Structures are given as structure tokens and as C-alpha cells.
């Protein structure tokens, strides 16, 4: 049987669908059942049991298991049982956290999955690529990913990047012609393949293979795995954790030696050293980061920002430059035509008279050289073009009718580098090319001008007058397109070289008002020490007018055109960018240079983009941001964040979320480390002062593995607050463990350690078991109370905010019930190596634990006052 590239598009349709018509909805369903989803089968996922078992691979858990076995041998079956139970509960907690974090990340991936436009039931509809099936007809535009393998049915200057499949990085020009004989994959230019993408032009194809049956599916096992990389913060914490673990293990080994030398029981000394190591080593650090990051990304997704790369959440907190497109991001992208400029006069939209030849020609040009459609109010296409066909409908010239009467014979699609688009039609028996695009680009290509029904030579004076008019429109923040045409004689196939010697018809100006929220978001950025910068393909004067309205630009000198940076060296550009807030008429290459210049000045840069050519700039930026609604699939793939509402304000909100997430992670770490430090100090003190060890191993395990994890996670889920936007961006390379941070951990740990030892000494006046019980109770409760201290760097004791974290309150109550139960329920005493407390002693424990609250809050208040004075 012949391959699809060896038969025509029509024959292919017959072979796949048995008909030339597009699939009906019922047929689609049947095909989906028969061929399954259009997905590559990923490597097997880990089961919950596997995740549970992995919890026991941890170095510390292995030590604990050894410790349990040792105590079992030494005849201490109770201790062995307690250790094993605690480890199991801890492993269950760990499994639940890991499974939840994985679920939330995979649901996030689904949200940002690729889409395809297919022809079904007579309409073009966007669907998730996974739902594309054999027999579907898929429409392709520049920037689209090709979702399946198939035979091309239509190609208008279509170029495809097939490098993922063939390694060929140059775009391959495609056409629909049947190929005779056998040719290799790269030469089958009438076929498109899943995994490649459209770099230029338009087209459509019939799906002939999906999922694992595609060419890329056949080599799927060779594709690189998509496992999440660890974020810089996780790596940083892992390294810190490793170093700290070594120090602690050495310390514990010394303590073990000292205890044995003092004549202690070797088994007990070993158990204690192990328990102290477990208590002191912050093994949960990196998993807390995963949980908090995944919670943060869920919240961001609800607020219209979908994170595609987990690192972006951390990076957002350090963003100091936000480069944003104008159209649709800072403006509403709801365009309406305001004026015509024809016959050397400005004509407001309500005075357009299509009985006049030049005005009628301008309108015809604007609906024919146009890809948008509006069927029963459903607008598909570029809003600039939609505005033009909507005006046509209002004036009785319907796009669909005009396009049927004068069908398109050839075209040069719009691209944002060339800033032009042209189409060819037969009008009144002549081949006529219509060109529309940026006025400054178009004016260089004129030969004549139409005035009423006459065509005469285009003069320098015409050019000057039109430029002045363009300037006037632009000053009002209007977007302007120029229109021209020419007869091409016998030629019925367009090339880019044809876009010269044109006849000027007129200008059309359109209004695209700024989004209401843009101004406030720009002000918020500035307050947060972030510089907002507009980078647009539009005219400089239009861009500056809009930028002024929303507060990005203060003086006209802060606006420039992309071409101005062409002749600058990278060094010169680094100085230049400082004074510029608006870049107009920018090409994608300019975007990369601007990002790089800011990065070299030590900034973390966020950059938005939507077109296929924006992908390199999005990759270069620290946080590449793609547009969910108007963005191409390629730009979404290159971005680390996708905005589902295309809104600038969402980026600012995401920065706020990023800062909050980082702060919460930091608070969680502070909670864990300061509590651990308090325990170590108490042990150290006892050891130096020649007192009995203040805790039994089971105490430390109880605190570290049970009552401590929940507040740490709860702190990570602390409600976000806006005050993070009052600070400057966090320096890029700043380690989380700054001197200031370590000092805080030190003082807070000291406070917890002191209160714990006071409790110990009070109990020690009676007996060692009571001392140890009171020390255990105080340390455990103090750490629960300390959770509230770690909510903020500022004192919050008398604020509403103190009670705003329901998870923290829950963790506190649960922890308190557990520790009180252990101390007060007689049946548990022997297991947990404690003795009964009197009510007075119980309240002494609570009291000493709570003392940490005012003390640490006071320290925070003093620090705050000191910071303000500075
Ligand atoms: P931004 O970069 O902020 O999204 P933009 O939409 O103006 O702004 P581009 O889409 O790159 O950027 O367009 C650049 C210029 O090309 C526009 O200013 C306009 O003059 C012209 N243009 C835009 N859309 C079309 C189109 N569909 N056909 C012809 N010319 C167009």
C-alpha cells in the first residue's frame, strides 16, 4: 500500500475517513474509542506503596531502625516498638505529602497542556491536543505545535521546524503536492509530524497517526525524561542539610563517647545519640519546600498564572524588571476603529461613506487582507483584524460575502518582524494584491496614491502629510494600520518581493484602551522596587501615549525604537537600558538583547511574549511569561509561566505570590531550625553542667517526627499578605541562610532552650524522671507556641493576623492534645518515659512554654523599631 505522502490529500481523506467530508461529532467519538488518546505513554508512575517504601530509604530512618533493633536486643521492647510506630506514622505523613504534591503538580501540567484547532461539525474549535484523533482536520498557524502526524491539505507559505525529529534546525517549506517514489522523512514535504511546530504561514492537515503511532511516538523512549528538576532553593537547602547533618553526627558521636566514658550504659548512650541526631537534623527541609511550592502554584493557577517550571516560583520573588508587551497585556485588546484617513482627510468612523470609491476600497482592503472571522458573535483571530471586519459588518460589507466574491489566491502572512501582510484576489477581472501593515514600513514601498477614483504619483509631500497624520493618531494612543494595493498582471502567486511599488489608499486608526487594572499594577510594581518596561511592536508615539497613561513612562525621552539599539554594542546597551521605559517597533531579537542587558546588570528579568519568534527571548528571561489566550503554543512551551488572562496585573500578583511563598518557606525553616537548636542547647547545657540527660530518646522522636511536622507545613500555608510588596526584591544570589536569619534562629532557639532547662531544673528538685518529663513537655509545647512567632518577622501578637492561619491553629491544638495526653494519661507513661504531673506542674510547663511568645515577640518589636530608625 502506498504511503500517505505518495497519494493526494483527497485520497488520504477517503482512505482514513471513507469520505471527503470532515468528521462528524459521532465519527470523532468512534475514532477516539478506536485509536485512544493522542498521548505518548510516559514512563511508569510510582505507586503509593512505592512512595511509602521510599520513605524508609532515608539515612536517618535507617539509623532509627537500627536503633530500634539495638534496643530490642537490649531488652527494651517498648522503646523499639515506639520507635517503629513513630517511624511508620512519619512515613505515612511523608507519603501523603508526596502524593498530594505530585497530584497538584500533575493537575497543573494538565492546565497548561497544548491545544490544537480542529475542524469539527463544520466549525473550527480549539481542543486539548490529547483529544485530536485520526481523521481530524487540524488548522495550523505560525507558532502552533503540530499535535499529530498527517497529510497536508492546505499550505500558505507554511514552514515547519522539524528539528525535534530530524535535527534539521532550518524551517522546512511545506506544500501539498503528491510525491512519487520513496523519500526519507525529512523530504516528505507534504506531511507534518507531531512534535514539530509552525514557524511561518498557515495550513491544514488530515491526521493520519496519533500518540505512540506517530513518528515521535516510535522514538518516544529516546526522548529526554520530563522529571521535575530540583529548584535552586531545594538544592541550597539539601547542601545546607548535608553539612549540618555531618556536624550534628560528629557532635552526637562525641556526646556518645562522653556518656560512655562517664560510665553510662552503652545501649542507652547509643539510643540517646541517635535520638538527638534525629531531633537536630532538619531532614524535612526540602520536602517542606516541595509542599509549599506546590501549594503556591495551586493558588497562582486560581489567580490566572500557571507555573510551568517550579523554579519560577522562587525566581518571581527576586524579579526586579518586568518587560511587558503592550497589546492585550497592558491594554484590553478590544479594538474598535475610530477614524479613516483617505483622500488626504481624516474621516471619523460615523462619517464613513462607502459610496465614495477610495473609502469603499479601504474598507474592502481591510476585510479581504484579514484572517479574522466573526460567526454569530464568536470572534476568532487577531483583535486588530476583528475590529476591521466588525466595522465592515456595521457598514454592510460582510467579510464572508466579500471573501466568497473575491477569494484569496495567494498570500504573504503577517509576521511581526516584517510588520506587513499581503493577499492576492481577482477584483473586476484583475489580479490585485492588497497590503496592510505598520505605516512607517508601508510608506517606504509606495509608488502611487489613490485620491477619490484617481491614481497619481506618490510624492515626498504625500509622505510628509501621511506621516504627520500618523503621528497625530498615535499621540492619542491610537493604533494605526496603513493600506495599499497593486495590480500584479498575470501573476497569481505572491512573494515578499512583490510588496513594493504600491498604491496608497489610506490609514485606519483603532483604539485599544489600557486595562483598568494596569495603572494600579504599575504603581504596585514601583512600590515593590520593580521596574516595569513596555516592549511593543507598535508605533513609538502610540506606545508612549499609552505608557504615560498607565504610569510606565514619565518623560518622552524614556521611549525609543528598537532600531536605535541595532548599532549599539552590548556594553553600550547596558548603559542605555537604564534610561528607557518604552521600546517601540521592537523585533524579537531586540527583546533578547534587552533581557540580556538587564541580566548583566544583575537583575532578575521577567519578559512576556506571544509569537513564535518570542520563544528565544522567553527562554533567555529568568521568568518567561506567555499569553494563555493569544499566545502561540511555541511561546507557551518556552515560558516558565502562562497567564490565562493575558493580563499584566496577573504578573504583578504572581510576583506577590512568589514573594509570599518564599517568605513562608523561610518561616517554616526558621521554625524547624530554631526548635531543633533549642533542644540541642538544652542537651548541651545538661551535659556541660553534669546533669542527667534531659530527654529520653522517645521524647525527641515524638517531637521531631510528630508534633513538629504539622506546624512547619502549616507555616508554609500561611495566608499571603500584601506587605511583602513593600520590600525591595530579594537579591538574586542571596542564600536563604543569611547572617540575620541564623541570628534569629540562634536567639529564638536560646529562648526555647532556656525555658526548657528551667522546667528541667524545677522538676529536678524532686527527681530526674519528673525533670525529664517537664523538660519534654516544655520543649514540645514551646515549639508548638513558637509556630505563632514564626508567622512573621514583625510582632503580630496583638493583631488579627495572629489567628489567621487555621492550619497552624489546628496543628497547635492537635499537638497540645497529644503532649498533654502523653503527660497526663497514666497508661502512656511507661511507653513515653514520663511520670504523672500535678495540675500545678502541668501549668508550670504550659506557662514556661508560653513565655517564649512575649519574649520573642518583644525581640521582634525591638528589631522592628531599630530597623525603622535606620
Ligand atoms: P505588542 O508587541 O505589544 O503585542 P503589537 O501587537 O503592536 O504590540 P506586533 O503584533 O508585533 O506588535 O505588531 C507590530 C506592528 O505590525 C503593529 O504595530 C502594526 O502596525 C502591524 N500589525 C499588527 N497586526 C497586523 C496585522 N494583522 N496585519 C498587518 N499589520 C499588522
Amino acid at each position: 500500500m502506498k504511503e500517505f505522502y505518495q497519494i493526494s490529500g483527497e485520497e488520504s481523506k477517503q482512505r482514513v475517513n471513507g469520505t471527503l467530508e470532515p468528521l462528524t461529532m459521532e465519527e470523532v467519538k468512534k475514532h477516539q474509542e478506536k485509536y485512544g488518546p493522542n498521548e505518548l505513554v510516559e514512563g511508569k508512575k510510582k505507586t503509593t506503596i512505592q512512595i511509602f517504601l521510599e520513605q524508609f530509604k532515608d539515612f536517618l530512618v535507617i539509623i532509627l531502625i537500627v536503633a530500634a533493633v539495638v534496643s530490642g536486643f537490649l531488652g527494651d521492647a517498648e522503646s523499639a516498638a515506639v520507635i517503629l510506630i513513630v517511624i511508620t506514622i512519619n512515613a505515612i505523613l511523608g507519603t501523603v505529602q508526596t502524593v498530594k504534591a505530585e497530584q497538584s503538580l500533575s493537575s497543573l501540567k494538565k492546565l497548561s497542556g497544548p491545544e490544537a484547532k480542529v475542524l469539527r461539525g463544520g466549525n473550527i474549535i480549539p481542543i486539548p491536543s490529547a483529544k485530536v484523533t485520526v481523521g481530524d482536520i487540524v488548522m495550523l498557524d505560525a507558532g502552533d505545535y503540530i499535535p499529530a502526524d498527517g497529510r497536508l491539505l492546505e499550505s500558505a507559505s507554511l514552514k515547519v521546524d522539524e528539528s525535534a525529529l530530524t535535527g534539521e534546525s532550518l524551517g522546512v517549506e511545506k506544500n501539498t503536492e503528491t510525491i512519487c517514489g520513496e523519500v526519507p522523512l525529512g523530504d516528505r514535504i507534504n506531511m507534518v509530524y507531531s512534535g514539530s511546530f509552525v514557524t511561518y504561514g498557515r495550513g491544514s492537515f488530515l491526521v493520519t497517526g496519533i500518540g505512540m503511532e506517530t513518528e515521535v511516538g516510535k522514538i518516544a523512549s529516546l526522548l529526554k525524561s520530563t522529571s521535575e528538576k530540583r529548584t535552586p532553593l531545594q538544592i541550597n537547602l539539601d547542601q545546607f542539610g548535608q553539612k549540618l547533618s555531618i556536624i550534628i553526627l560528629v557532635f552526637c558521636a562525641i556526646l556518645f563517647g562522653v556518656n560512655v566514658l562517664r560510665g553510662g550504659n552503652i545501649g542507652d548512650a547509643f539510643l540517646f545519640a541517635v535520638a538527638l541526631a534525629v531531633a537536630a537534623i532538619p531532614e524535612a527541609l526540602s520536602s517542606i519546600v516541595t509542599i509549599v511550592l506546590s501549594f503556591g502554584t495551586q493558588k497562582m493557577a486560581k489567580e490566572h498564572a500557571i507555573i510551568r517550571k517550579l523554579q519560577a516560583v522562587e525566581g518571581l520573588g527576586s524579579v526586579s524588571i518586568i518587560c511587558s508587551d503592550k497589546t492585550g497585556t497592558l491594554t484590553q485588546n478590544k479594538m474598535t476603529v475610530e477614524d479613516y484617513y483617505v483622500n488626504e482627510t481624516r474621516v471619523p468612523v460615523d462619517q464613513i461613506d462607502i459610496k465614495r470609491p477610495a473609502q469603499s476600497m479601504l474598507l474592502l482592503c481591510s476585510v479581504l487582507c484579514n484572517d479574522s472571522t466573526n460567526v454569530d458573535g464568536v470572534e476568532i483571530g487577531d483583535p486588530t483584524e476583528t475590529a476591521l471586519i466588525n466595522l465592515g459588518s456595521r457598514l454592510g460589507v460582510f467579510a464572508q460575502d466579500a471573501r466568497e466574491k473575491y477569494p484569496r489566491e495567494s498570500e504573504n502572512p503577517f509576521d511581526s518582524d516584517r510588520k506587513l501582510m499581503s493577499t492576492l484576489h481577482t477584483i473586476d477581472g484583475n489580479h490585485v494584491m492588497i497590503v496592510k501593515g505598520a505605516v512607517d514600513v508601508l510608506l517606504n514601498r509606495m509608488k502611487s496614491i489613490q485620491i477619490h477614483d484617481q491614481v497619481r504619483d506618490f510624492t515626498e509631500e504625500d509622505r510628509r502629510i501621511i506621516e504627520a497624520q500618523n503621528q497625530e493618531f498615535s499621540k492619542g494612543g491610537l493604533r494605526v494600520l496603513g493600506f495599499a494595493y497593486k495590480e500584479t498582471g498575470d501573476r497569481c502567486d505572491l512573494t515578499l518581493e512583490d510588496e513594493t511599488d504600491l498604491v496608497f489608499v489610506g490609514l485606519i486608526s483603532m483604539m485599544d484602551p489600557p486595562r483598568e487594572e494596569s495603572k494600579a499594577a504599575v504603581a504596585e510594581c514601583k512600590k515593590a522596587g520593580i521596574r516595569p518596561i513596555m516592549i511593543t511592536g507598535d508605533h513609538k508615539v502610540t506606545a508612549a501615549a499609552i505608557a504615560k497613561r498607565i504610569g510606565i513612562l514619565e518623560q518622552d525621552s524614556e521611549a525609543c525604537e528598537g532600531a536605535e539599539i541595532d548599532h549599539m554594542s552590548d556594553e553600550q546597551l547596558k548603559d542605555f537600558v537604564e534610561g528607557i521605559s518604552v521600546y517601540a517597533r521592537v523585533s524579537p531579537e531586540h527583546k533578547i538583547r534587552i533581557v540580556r542587558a538587564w541580566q548583566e546588570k544583575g537583575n532578575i528579568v521577567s519578559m512576556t511574549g506571544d509569537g513564535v519568534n518570542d520563544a528565544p527571548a522567553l527562554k533567555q528571561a529568568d521568568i518567561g511569561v506567555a499569553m494563555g489566550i493569544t499566545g502561540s503554543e511555541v511561546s507557551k512551551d518556552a515560558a516558565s509561566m502562562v497567564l490565562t488572562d493575558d493580563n499584566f496585573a496577573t504578573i504583578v500578583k504572581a510576583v506577590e505570590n512568589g514573594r509570599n511563598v518564599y517568605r513562608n518557606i523561610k518561616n517554616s525553616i526558621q521554625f524547624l531550625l530554631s526548635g531543633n537548636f533549642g533542644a540541642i542547647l538544652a542537651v548541651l547545657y545538661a551535659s556541660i553542667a553534669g546533669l542527667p540527660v534531659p530527654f529520653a530518646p522517645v521524647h525527641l522522636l515524638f517531637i521531631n517526627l510528630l508534633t513538629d511536622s504539622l506546624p512547619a507545613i502549616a507555616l508554609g500555608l500561611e495566608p499571603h499578605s500584601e506587605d511583602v510588596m513593600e520590600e525591595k526584591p530579594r537579591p538574586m544570589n542571596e542564600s536563604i541562610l543569611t547572617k540575620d536569619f541564623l541570628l534569629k534562629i540562634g536567639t529564638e532557639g536560646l529562648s526555647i532552650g532556656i525555658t526548657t532547662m528551667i522546667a528541667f531544673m524545677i522538676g529536678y528538685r524532686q527527681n530526674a524522671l519528673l525533670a525529664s518529663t517537664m523538660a519534654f513537655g516544655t520543649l514540645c509545647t514551646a515549639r508548638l507556641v513558637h509556630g505563632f512567632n514564626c508567622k512573621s518577622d514583625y510582632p503580630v501578637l496583638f493583631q488579627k493576623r495572629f489567628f489567621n492561619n487555621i492550619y497552624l491553629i489546628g496543628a497547635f491544638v492537635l499537638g497540645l492534645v497529644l503532649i498533654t495526653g502523653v503527660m497526663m494519661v497514666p497508661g502512656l507513661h511507661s511507653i513515653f518515659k514520663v511520670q504523672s504531673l500535678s495540675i500545678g506542674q502541668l501549668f508550670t510547663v504550659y506557662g514556661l512554654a508560653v513565655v517564649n511568645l512575649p519574649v520573642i515577640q518583644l525581640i521582634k518589636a525591638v528589631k522592628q523599631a531599630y530597623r525603622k530608625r535606620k
Side-chain angles (χ1 to χ4, degrees), residues 197-240:
F197 64 91
V198 182
T199 55
Y200 189 75
R202 277 187 323 107
S204 65
F205 74 97
L206 171 80
V207 176
T208 56
I210 60 168
M212 296 306 280
E213 291 309 310
T214 58
E215 293 299 327
V216 78
K218 291 179 195 156
I219 53 164
S221 54
L222 304 178
L223 292 180
K224 62 180 188 314
S225 90
T226 50
S227 68
E228 274 295 336
K229 276 202 296 194
R230 297 183 79 63
T231 73
L233 180 60
Q234 283 173 319
I235 294 171
N236 187 326
L237 285 176
D238 280 347
Q239 286 166 351
F240 168 77

Side-chain angles (χ1 to χ4, degrees), residues 457-531:
D457 280 351
F458 189 80
T459 62
E460 269 311 304
E461 180 64 3
D462 290 326
R463 186 193 179 100
R464 198 191 53 72
I465 296 174
I466 296 169
E467 274 173 354
Q469 184 57 56
N470 183 28
Q471 196 80 357
E472 191 182 314
F473 280 141
S474 303
K475 270 192 191 141
L478 296 171
R479 182 179 177 84
V480 195
L481 283 184
F483 290 82
Y485 67 91
K486 89 169 176 192
E487 290 181 9
T488 58
D490 298 338
R491 304 262 328 276
C492 53
D493 200 13
L494 289 185
T495 65
L496 294 183
E497 281 73 49
D498 291 315
E499 291 170 340
T500 52
D501 296 337
L502 307 173
V503 183
F504 179 82
V505 200
L507 308 177
I508 299 184
S509 74
M510 282 162 269
M511 187 59 194
D512 179 18
R515 286 176 181 269
E516 278 173 19
E517 57 277 40
S518 292
K519 197 171 177 180
V522 165
E524 173 97 353
C525 267
K526 291 189 167 172
K527 190 178 76 182
I530 301 167
R531 170 107 180 249

